[in-house]
Structures are given as C-alpha cells and as structure tokens.
Amino acid sequence: PENYGEMRALKKKAIEEIEKSFLDHILTKHDHNISKAAEEVKMHRVELHRLINKYKLDIKESKKFKTEVFHR
C-alpha cells in the first residue's frame, strides 16, 4: 500500500475474505445448523447470526438449494 487509506482498505478486504471463508466452512460442515456451528467454534449463536447477517447470507435458501439438489 502506498498510504494509510490503502492499507486500511486492504485490511478490511482481507478480514472480509477470512470471515466469509470461516462462515462457509463451519456452516457447510454442520449442514447450515447455526447452533451446532456456533457450539463447535465456541461462539455465541447470536454472534454467529450477526456475522451471517453482515454478509447478507441467506441460510434458508442455502439449505433449500442443498436439499433440492441432493434429494432428487
């Protein structure tokens, strides 16, 4: 980065990518069961919901898609 503003933007993007990857991993592992995912990573379920909402992830649609694809 050439300046502080660029460094902050890169940092924000890196954190977002890490959080999204984290969510994808734990939610997929637990079949989008938020309570089980939160328990495994020692995170309160409400905090996990906040992180999911931060990225506007639609857990219901993900479950529906997975159910439709794998139960045909």
Side-chain angles (χ1 to χ4, degrees):
E2 296 286 323
N3 58 53
Y4 182 67
E6 287 180 12
M7 190 273 307
R8 287 185 58 190
L10 289 171
K11 180 181 172 184
K12 181 180 177 184
K13 184 174 180 170
I15 290 170
E16 288 173 356
E17 292 302 318
I18 292 167
E19 288 176 339
K20 287 177 185 179
S21 177
F22 170 75
L23 288 172
D24 181 58
H25 172 74
I26 64 168
L27 292 172
T28 299
K29 181 176 180 179
H30 292 284
D31 197 30
H32 294 83
N33 183 312
I34 293 171
S35 294
K36 288 181 182 178
E39 183 178 339
E40 178 181 319
V41 298
K42 296 174 178 44
M43 182 179 202
H44 195 280
R45 189 177 51 81
V46 172
E47 290 300 318
L48 185 54
H49 268 290
R50 285 185 185 138
L51 196 55
I52 290 166
N53 291 336
K54 177 179 177 179
Y55 296 107
K56 298 175 177 47
L57 300 178
D58 189 346
I59 299 304
K60 293 175 190 164
E61 285 301 313
S62 295
K63 285 173 132 176
K64 180 181 174 187
F65 174 75
K66 188 172 183 178
T67 301
E68 290 174 356
V69 170
F70 292 110
H71 291 95
R72 285 185 180 173

